[in-house]
Amino acid sequence: MNFNSVSNTPYNSFYNDNPYRQYGYAQMPEIAYQPVYNQPYQYMQEPPSQENPAKTLGLALFLQGISSGLERVSNWFATKLSAAKEFASHADVEKVANSMVTKNKLDVNVAYINENNKHLYSSIYGLGNALDPVAKGQNAFFVDKLKLAVAPESKPSLILHELGHAVNAKKGFTKLLQNTRRFAPFAPMALLFANRLSPNKQNGEKTFIERNAGLLGFAAFIPTIIEEGIASLRGIKAAKKVLNNPKNLNILKKNYAFALATYILSGVALGVASKQTILAEADK
């Protein structure tokens, strides 16, 4: 048999003339007929069931119940804090506060508010009625722009926490944590708009935001919780160093724990509000 006779066939001509042959790639010529393979039979799958309206309503009522419960618990912690006894005398608290101001070189005016001086400080700093709850022993705060830290005359130990905020305002990381506070309340609306921009749901599946709205809302408040905790730790550390009274220091720690608990509950409440917002949108 003359094997050279096959060299003129279309395939061998294509193969021998193919420039890719040296690399081991020989392209097959086009075939006029190719077998057709039918797709294997696939069992039809039922589409996922849609949300049950009763289930959605039940979840909404459940979240509303949690929200109301959180408010009650938060008020309970606030009441316990207001009624708690002080860990040291007013003079000792002032000693610790002055130490914090001096050591950290704080440019802060410290004021202990009561019913007699609240109007004076309100007029000087333009605070309106903001000092009313402070005079009643229900609040304390620090305003960086005003360089002012206030606490109730009846509960002076709260000033140490506020001076902790003043120290945080001078540090890069904790200052950043403070700045996130103003954006946290907008978490529900931010998640709502982000969810609207998410790809369309396929087969009734929930988006990432719909599945995790509660956690994402709570996460938005975590920087505030951390910054509040750091402020309290600074006050406790200063009191320990200046007064060195471990027994009374436990009272201060307990009081600050009550205060921190209200912030943790606020974070949970923000998570619940975020979930409610997304749930209401999905139910439309």
Side-chain angles (χ1 to χ4, degrees):
M1 180 179 292
N2 186 359
F3 290 97
N4 291 330
S5 62
V6 299
S7 62
N8 293 325
T9 61
Y11 172 74
N12 281 277
S13 175
F14 176 87
Y15 181 77
N16 293 327
D17 295 337
N18 191 340
Y20 294 100
R21 184 175 182 272
Q22 57 182 319
Y23 301 109
Y25 297 99
Q27 298 181 2
M28 293 292 292
E30 294 185 3
I31 301 176
Y33 169 78
Q34 295 184 358
V36 178
Y37 295 94
N38 293 322
Q39 292 289 335
Y41 177 77
Q42 296 181 350
Y43 290 99
M44 296 294 293
Q45 295 182 352
E46 295 183 1
S49 59
Q50 299 297 322
E51 287 287 339
N52 187 335
K55 180 180 178 181
T56 302
L57 177 60
L59 179 58
L61 293 175
F62 175 71
L63 292 174
Q64 185 61 42
I66 291 179
S67 180
S68 299
L70 288 172
E71 183 177 1
R72 293 191 184 95
V73 175
S74 181
N75 290 337
W76 182 84
F77 277 117
T79 301
K80 294 288 289 185
L81 178 60
S82 298
K85 66 178 182 178
E86 288 291 278
F87 85 104
S89 66
H90 197 294
D92 283 342
V93 171
E94 283 195 62
K95 187 185 300 183
V96 178
N98 292 336
S99 172
M100 292 183 70
V101 171
T102 302
K103 179 182 177 181
N104 296 284
K105 299 179 181 179
L106 300 178
D107 180 20
V108 177
N109 294 316
V110 178
Y112 302 93
I113 306 300
N114 55 42
E115 292 293 339
N116 296 324
N117 64 12
K118 67 178 184 180
H119 298 294
L120 174 62
Y121 281 101
S122 291
S123 61
I124 293 175
Y125 291 98
L127 295 173
N129 298 325
L131 292 180
D132 288 349
V134 180
K136 296 176 182 178
Q138 299 172 349
N139 195 21
F141 59 81
F142 163 73
V143 183
D144 191 18
K145 290 183 178 180
L146 299 178
K147 302 300 180 184
L148 176 67
V150 299
E153 179 81 30
S154 59
K155 295 199 70 65
S157 64
L158 296 182
I159 200 66
L160 306 183
H161 172 86
E162 301 310 323
L163 290 176
H165 283 305
V167 177
N168 286 346
K170 296 183 63 177
K171 311 290 184 179
F173 174 68
T174 47
K175 177 65 175 179
L176 179 63
L177 294 179
Q178 286 181 345
N179 289 337
T180 65
R181 182 190 298 258
R182 70 188 71 177
F183 303 110
F186 299 103
M189 295 306 299
L191 291 173
L192 177 62
F193 290 131
N195 191 53
R196 289 177 177 176
L197 296 176
S198 299
N200 293 332
K201 294 182 290 184
Q202 301 294 328
N203 299 325
E205 294 181 359
K206 292 183 178 180
T207 64
F208 174 81
I209 292 177
E210 288 173 344
R211 294 193 305 270
N212 301 282
L215 290 175
L216 294 172
F218 177 75
F221 207 75
I222 288 178
T224 298
I225 296 173
I226 294 175
E227 195 272 330
E228 289 289 339
I230 293 174
S232 291
L233 289 176
R234 293 190 190 280
I236 293 171
K237 183 178 179 180
K240 180 180 180 180
K241 185 174 182 179
V242 175
L243 301 180
N244 193 24
N245 190 331
K247 183 178 180 180
N248 287 355
L249 198 63
N250 288 333
I251 298 175
L252 182 64
K253 292 178 180 178
K254 181 180 179 181
N255 292 346
Y256 282 0
F258 282 137
L260 184 61
T262 63
Y263 283 97
I264 295 174
L265 291 174
S266 295
V268 176
L270 185 61
V272 172
S274 300
K275 186 68 174 180
Q276 287 176 315
T277 301
I278 297 299
L279 184 64
E281 172 75 5
D283 195 38
K284 290 182 179 180

